[in-house]
Amino acid sequence: MTFSEAVANLTADDFELFVGTESTARPLDGTTPITIVDTKTLKVKVGTAFNATDLNSGIVVKPSATNDVEDAHGNALIFTSKTVTQ
């Protein structure tokens, strides 16, 4: 994920990954679910790799109920979902 500006408070609990219209989030990797690349970019690692059917259905990132990501000015990250593109 790449944000338009620097963000803070990134943790593994901030986002959930879904496949297509599934209502149950896919588990993230238990060891390193999120890698912060820099202040604008992070990588999210799933516990089990997505297969071709999953990718064709679309991978959707949604904020979790505990999402507290904000920018340098203290503005909360606000979005409902984002479909991942390859």
Side-chain angles (χ1 to χ4, degrees):
M1 298 176 62
T2 302
F3 300 95
S4 61
E5 59 185 284
V7 294
N9 300 330
L10 291 171
T11 66
D13 297 333
D14 290 327
F15 302 99
E16 295 179 312
L17 297 178
F18 297 84
V19 173
T21 58
E22 290 180 354
S23 59
T24 302
R26 293 290 177 102
L28 299 182
D29 180 74
T31 307
T32 55
I34 289 185
T35 302
I36 299 170
V37 178
D38 57 43
T39 59
K40 292 183 180 181
T41 309
L42 66 97
K43 292 182 181 181
V44 180
K45 184 176 179 183
V46 294
T48 303
F50 295 119
N51 60 37
T53 302
D54 294 339
L55 295 174
N56 288 335
S57 296
I59 308 302
V60 180
V61 178
K62 295 182 182 182
S64 69
T66 60
N67 184 305
D68 63 351
V69 176
E70 57 186 30
D71 68 11
H73 303 288
N75 299 311
L77 173 67
I78 300 173
F79 79 101
T80 54
S81 69
K82 181 69 178 167
T83 301
V84 177
T85 57
Q86 298 183 51

